């Protein structure tokens, strides 16, 4: 593959990154044969890549030496990314405030192509809660975070981000192109997005984009089980999210004039 400007990626580097991405996307360790088949890399070449990565701590194998997963070096680099990100420092207090107000799960997410990646999380205080993990990647169209950020972009940009047909995570996921565009238009009109059991059945999520860039790349959300939402729950949550965005904008203004 040749990229714009005539740049051609280095094959060995591309393969190494493909291995890292494949292992990161898998909930369990993967065998050499499985990886070779999935990535279309000859087993002899892949074995050398894995041994090199294991020597540097990027990959670990099970006791049999036949199944591979991410190593501690990957965790260290991921943690360094979060530590060095200015947005994390700016929004940490806002996430804490939302968590204290509602006792529900709060997320900071970033748009990454057609997906949302969780950058930060505040856990719900309740046993019944949304399962999630920092670094988890989800289809943007199936989350309130993703829809809040997709709505920041014009409709004609969607085809460059999303691949049709869209996957359905639950029976409630919006997958029809016209229906999604209509929903994004509503997000632009009202200033917030809603995921009504589209990511996880029984969970409703509300999100607003954080305007630190144009178009925004980050959003904050609050997730609550349907059973705890209540008649006035949506209005209270949306009002709190809007106040949170106002706080971020005010803090950003202070930082830019300091």
């Amino acid at each position: 593959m040749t990229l714009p400007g005539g740049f051609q990626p280095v094959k060995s580097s591309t393969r190494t990154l493909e291995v890292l991405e494949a292992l990161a996307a898998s909930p369990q360790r993967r065998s050499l044969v499985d990886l070779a088949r999935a990535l279309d890399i000859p087993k002899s070449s892949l074995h050398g890549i894995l041994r090199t990565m294991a020597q540097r701590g990027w990959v670990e194998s099970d006791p049999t030496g036949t199944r591979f997963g991410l190593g501690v070096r990957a965790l260290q680099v991921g943690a360094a990314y979060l530590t060095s990100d200015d947005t994390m420092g700016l929004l940490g207090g806002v996430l804490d405030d939302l968590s204290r107000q509602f006792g529900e799960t709060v997320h900071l997410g970033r748009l990454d192509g057609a997906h949302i990646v969780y950058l930060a999380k505040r856990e719900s205080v309740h046993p019944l809660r949304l399962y999630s993990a920092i670094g988890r990647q989800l289809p943007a169209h199936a989350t309130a975070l993703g829809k809040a950020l997709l709505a920041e972009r014009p409709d004609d940009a969607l085809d460059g981000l999303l691949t049709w047909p869209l996957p359905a995570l639950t029976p409630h996921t919006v997958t029809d192109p016209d229906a999604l565009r209509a929903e994004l238009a509503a997000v632009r009109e009202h200033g917030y997005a809603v995921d009504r059991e589209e990511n996880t059945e029984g969970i409703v999520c509300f999100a607003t984009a954080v305007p630190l860039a144009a178009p925004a790349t980050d959003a904050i959300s609050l997730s609550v089980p349907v059973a705890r939402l209540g008649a006035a729950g949506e209005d209270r949550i949306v009002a709190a999210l809007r106040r949170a965005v106002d706080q971020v904008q005010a803090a950003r203004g202070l930082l830019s004039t300091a």
Side-chain angles (χ1 to χ4, degrees), residues 165-228:
L166 299 172
L169 302 189
T170 77
H172 308 283
T173 307
V174 176
T175 59
D176 177 74
D178 291 337
L180 180 62
R181 288 187 172 91
E183 188 158 342
L184 296 182
V187 173
R188 297 182 191 109
E189 179 181 355
H190 300 299
Y192 70 96
V194 188
D195 147 21
R196 299 189 189 278
E197 303 184 70
E198 297 168 55
N199 171 26
T200 303
E201 289 195 77
I203 300 291
V204 179
C205 184
F206 304 89
T208 55
V210 181
L212 297 178
T217 58
D218 300 321
I220 53 176
S221 70
L222 192 144
S223 302
V224 57
V226 175
R228 285 202 299 271

Side-chain angles (χ1 to χ4, degrees), residues 65-198:
T66 61
R67 303 186 70 82
F68 301 88
L70 291 179
V72 69
R73 188 70 65 203
L75 172 62
Q76 292 173 327
V77 170
Y81 173 82
L82 295 177
T83 301
S84 63
D85 191 286
D86 293 338
T87 304
M88 297 288 292
L90 190 60
L91 295 180
V94 168
L95 301 181
D96 291 338
D97 286 345
L98 287 169
S99 178
R100 282 193 292 267
Q101 286 180 62
F102 294 93
E104 301 290 355
T105 304
V106 179
H107 284 112
L108 166 64
R110 179 162 295 170
L111 189 66
D112 180 25
H115 295 84
I116 275 290
V117 178
Y118 291 140
L119 297 185
K121 176 185 180 181
R122 301 296 185 267
E123 286 281 7
S124 169
V125 299
H126 304 283
L128 177 62
R129 68 183 78 173
L130 172 68
Y131 167 76
S132 62
I134 294 173
R136 188 182 183 195
Q137 180 177 277
L138 291 167
H141 71 278
T143 66
L145 288 166
K147 286 190 282 188
L149 293 170
L150 290 176
E152 290 277 303
R153 288 139 180 87
D155 276 348
D156 58 11
L158 291 183
D159 289 333
L161 288 172
L162 306 179
T163 301
W164 315 97
L166 299 172
L169 302 189
T170 77
H172 308 283
T173 307
V174 176
T175 59
D176 177 74
D178 291 337
L180 180 62
R181 288 187 172 91
E183 188 158 342
L184 296 182
V187 173
R188 297 182 191 109
E189 179 181 355
H190 300 299
Y192 70 96
V194 188
D195 147 21
R196 299 189 189 278
E197 303 184 70
E198 297 168 55

